Amino acid sequence: MPTVPSTLSAPYNELTRRLSDLTALEEAIGILSWDQEIVMPKGAVEQRSRQIATLSVVRHERLSAPDLAELVDQLMHDQTLTDTQAANVREARRDLMRTTRIPEALVRRWSETTVKAHDVWVEARKADDFSAFEPILTELVELSKQRAAAIDPEAPPYDVLLDEFEPGTTQAQLEPLFADLKAFLLPMIAKVRARSQAGGLPDTTWLSEVVPADRQRTVGETVVRAMGYDFDRGRLDTSVHPFCGGAGPSDVRITTRYREDAFFGSLSGMIHETGHALYEQGRDLDLADQPVSRARSMGIHESQSLLWEKQVGLGRPFWTALLPKLQLSYEFLRKVDLDSFLFGISQVDLDNFIRVDADELTYPLHVILRYEIERDLFNGTLQVADLPKVWNAKMQEYLGITPPDFRLGVLQDVHWSMGSFGYFPSYTLGALYAAQFMNSCRDQVPGVDAALSRGDVEPLLTWLRTHIHREGSRFGTDELVRRATGEPLNPRHFIDYARAKFTRLYGL
Ligand code: ZN
């Protein structure tokens, strides 16, 4: 082994110093955005936009500095770096490439168009008028193609867009996964539909009992705390759209909303955001200001929220411990036994048009529908004008229902108005990863379910901390999943889980 002269580490130290500054800028933007959603007075909107825009420009300038690119290039060839250091350089290089390859004129046009498009979408949705949204959506698709071509002219544009949220994921990988899911879900949902029409299923009217927001908050906070969320490094607030934000692993802020006639939806939303928050709080604190500690991808982030919300938060062990406590707070639940409770919270809603309200079984089809539309838009086989027709036809084919208007159909999601194409698959990848992680945790930690039944999340949380949270972006997604579970992403875990669960719940 050659000894490493200490001067050789100077470029790497210089890089970490500059990346640390960039992280501080991103965290400051994070706090300003959180403040805007939660506490900022309405009148400050314009100033706040200016503050965030200025910080974003400073970040962009620093990230595109030519000497930073030289430093990264030099370090890409440095054989003396440790694996973690090399991964940090790799992640920094990815940020640089995705940022600096897009020409400035396109960056400006993009931000102007997305700001405008959001307002246009809000109005079009209010008026239930797709044709009002169509021109600017067409423009966004065109601009996205240009951005993709700027980042990587060799790759198919939709692959470049997918890569933004799921580094390394391509259409070629998604096609067989989604084909397997469809082949399982369509007949499974048909069986559930037939069983539901036959009647005689458990009563679930207790789900719409009215619970005041302050009582929901008290219960929710207890659950969030019991899951291991650290209130010394985070806080819980109320917002219109729940989210997990803040500024790095020491300041992870979650929000929720309370619907008085849907207490379980609110609780389940809190469990979801806490899953995201545990991932952030579990990052490697020694490397918190470096890209290598960041969450691996949107899909892996969603795997953490869905693992808690669905795999754990809809499961028997978790509620064995928690239902008796919930019954102390909510009197109307005292007449609901564990089996009826578990049926109610996992019930399949066969008449639902809205993705965000969808249950575990129908949700992936909402995602696959959007994925197929985006894929065809970017491969040039579908025109924006034809979206409503294609949307409704796919809803009918996959879920057996046709939206009565655009609000409940093609205009329901905010994503396209923000130019976020390629994001939707992450939700379903998250559900697949979650099932696979849970299975591996059960194999490796035999007492995990027994502990959950006693209200003890420690064995599960420790497994997640070790295999997912602390690993950050040290490895590519594939490698992370292989190391944690011994195999690449395998949809059988989710399919077997869902088949067993819904067969049991519906007595199929
Ligand atoms: Zn989420």
Side-chain angles (χ1 to χ4, degrees):
M1 287 286 284
T3 51
V4 182
S6 60
T7 48
L8 268 191
S9 63
Y12 184 76
N13 287 341
E14 168 66 8
L15 179 70
T16 56
R17 196 185 57 71
R18 295 174 69 159
L19 294 175
S20 182
D21 288 350
L22 284 163
T23 301
L25 286 168
E26 283 153 21
E27 289 173 352
I29 294 171
I31 292 302
L32 287 176
S33 311
W34 175 88
D35 176 87
Q36 181 168 4
E37 289 287 317
I38 309 299
V39 284
M40 187 189 81
K42 259 201 191 118
V45 171
E46 244 171 74
Q47 272 163 287
R48 182 52 47 87
S49 307
R50 195 167 51 81
Q51 293 153 359
I52 292 180
T54 303
L55 285 178
S56 304
V57 168
V58 174
R59 178 184 173 271
H60 191 269
E61 281 169 1
R62 287 194 168 213
L63 198 53
S64 9
D67 59 337
L68 182 64
E70 281 166 27
L71 190 57
V72 168
D73 272 347
Q74 178 192 345
L75 286 163
M76 285 297 289
H77 302 104
D78 188 337
Q79 305 293 326
T80 66
L81 298 180
T82 65
D83 288 351
T84 300
Q85 290 171 336
N88 200 33
V89 174
R90 185 197 66 216
E91 291 303 309
R93 181 165 180 268
R94 182 181 148 80
D95 287 355
L96 252 66
M97 275 170 41
R98 291 205 74 104
T99 309
T100 56
R101 287 192 178 174
I102 303 173
E104 216 182 296
L106 184 52
V107 172
R108 204 170 315 118
R109 208 169 142 214
W110 176 259
S111 65
E112 284 164 8
T113 312
T114 47
V115 168
K116 208 162 55 182
H118 184 76
D119 291 340
V120 173
W121 169 73
V122 170
E123 290 306 316
R125 194 166 73 143
K126 213 183 287 170
D128 195 34
D129 179 8
F130 179 77
S131 67
F133 185 48
E134 191 194 312
I136 202 152
L137 182 57
T138 307
E139 200 182 335
L140 281 173
V141 170
E142 189 43 48
L143 290 176
S144 291
K145 284 183 184 168
Q146 292 177 20
R147 289 177 87 226
I151 293 166
D152 187 351
E154 307 295 319
Y158 193 54
D159 280 355
V160 181
L161 300 178
L162 285 170
D163 182 84
E164 183 168 350
F165 308 103
E166 289 305 312
T169 295
T170 61
Q171 291 171 73
Q173 285 172 312
L174 291 179
E175 289 291 332
L177 288 179
F178 287 173
D180 281 358
L181 278 177
K182 268 205 264 192
F184 159 66
L185 290 170
L186 292 179
M188 190 71 195
I189 289 169
K191 277 190 222 167
V192 169
R193 186 180 297 281
R195 177 66 192 86
S196 300
Q197 281 161 355
L201 291 169
D203 168 62
T204 55
T205 47
W206 49 269
L207 278 164
S208 44
E209 291 273 357
V210 170
V211 183
D214 55 338
R215 287 182 70 197
Q216 289 194 40
R217 187 187 160 104
T218 310
V219 168
E221 243 190 73
T222 315
V223 174
V224 166
R225 209 178 285 278
M227 286 168 63
Y229 177 79
D230 180 356
F231 275 90
D232 288 337
R233 293 191 290 137
R235 46 180 293 137
L236 170 65
D237 294 273
T238 310
S239 70
V240 184
H241 303 288
F243 66 95
C244 171
S250 301
D251 188 354
V252 184
R253 308 180 183 196
I254 51 176
T255 72
T256 186
R257 63 173 160 215
Y258 303 102
R259 270 195 51 194
E260 303 213 322
D261 61 350
F263 78 95
F264 192 78
S266 306
L267 182 58
S268 177
M270 284 168 95
I271 295 176
H272 181 97
E273 296 309 327
T274 305
H276 282 303
L278 290 172
Y279 189 7
E280 289 295 325
Q281 289 189 335
R283 285 166 50 187
D284 188 339
L285 286 175
D286 294 332
L287 294 167
D289 63 344
Q290 297 298 309
V292 70
S293 78
R294 285 187 313 215
R296 180 54 275 177
S297 71
M298 293 311 300
I300 297 296
H301 228 307
E302 205 57 22
S303 81
Q304 297 308 290
S305 53
L306 291 175
L307 185 140
W308 286 99
E309 182 199 345
K310 309 292 191 194
Q311 299 285 323
V312 175
L314 296 178
R316 183 176 290 272
F318 189 69
W319 286 107
T320 299
L322 213 56
L323 183 58
K325 290 184 185 154
L326 206 59
Q327 285 165 333
L328 292 178
S329 302
Y330 300 161
E331 244 169 63
F332 59 87
L333 283 179
R334 290 178 197 166
K335 61 178 189 331
V336 182
D337 63 24
L338 183 57
D339 283 314
S340 311
F341 185 80
L342 292 174
F343 177 83
I345 61 179
S346 280
Q347 190 176 207
V348 181
D349 184 352
L350 297 159
D351 301 315
N352 169 51
F353 297 105
I354 302 291
R355 175 185 59 83
V356 294
D357 294 335
D359 52 81
E360 243 178 333
L361 210 51
T362 55
Y363 199 110
L365 292 169
H366 288 273
V367 166
I368 292 171
L369 171 153
R370 287 156 178 77
Y371 159 75
E372 290 173 347
I373 286 177
E374 290 184 343
R375 176 198 65 194
D376 295 348
L377 274 178
F378 283 92
N379 294 345
T381 54
L382 174 64
Q383 301 306 312
V384 170
D386 295 326
L387 283 193
K389 203 177 63 199
V390 174
W391 184 287
N392 287 1
K394 284 184 188 289
M395 277 299 284
Q396 189 57 46
E397 185 190 345
Y398 297 162
L399 293 163
I401 47 178
T402 299
D405 55 33
F406 296 129
R407 263 183 294 241
L408 289 171
V410 68
L411 288 180
Q412 67 179 266
D413 296 303
V414 68
H415 300 57
W416 290 343
S417 78
M418 301 179 346
S420 285
F421 302 101
Y423 190 136
F424 288 115
S426 296
Y427 294 115
T428 287
L429 289 173
L432 303 182
Y433 287 129
Q436 188 164 337
F437 291 152
M438 198 65 213
N439 275 353
S440 282
C441 177
R442 285 196 174 107
D443 287 345
Q444 296 168 31
V445 189
V448 70
D449 281 323
L452 285 173
S453 307
R454 296 189 305 269
D456 176 10
V457 302
E458 203 50 50
L460 173 61
L461 188 54
T462 302
W463 189 89
L464 294 171
R465 290 273 191 252
T466 311
H467 293 88
I468 314 292
H469 303 173
R470 261 200 294 276
E471 297 290 35
S473 291
R474 226 167 239 138
F475 309 106
T477 312
D478 248 20
E479 176 77 7
L480 176 83
V481 174
R482 277 175 204 273
R483 294 173 79 101
T485 71
E487 60 174 335
L489 176 61
N490 178 354
R492 297 320 303 177
H493 294 283
F494 175 83
I495 290 172
D496 292 347
Y497 151 81
R499 182 185 288 114
K501 169 172 174 170
F502 288 96
T503 299
R504 188 177 61 243
L505 281 179
Y506 280 85
L508 300 174

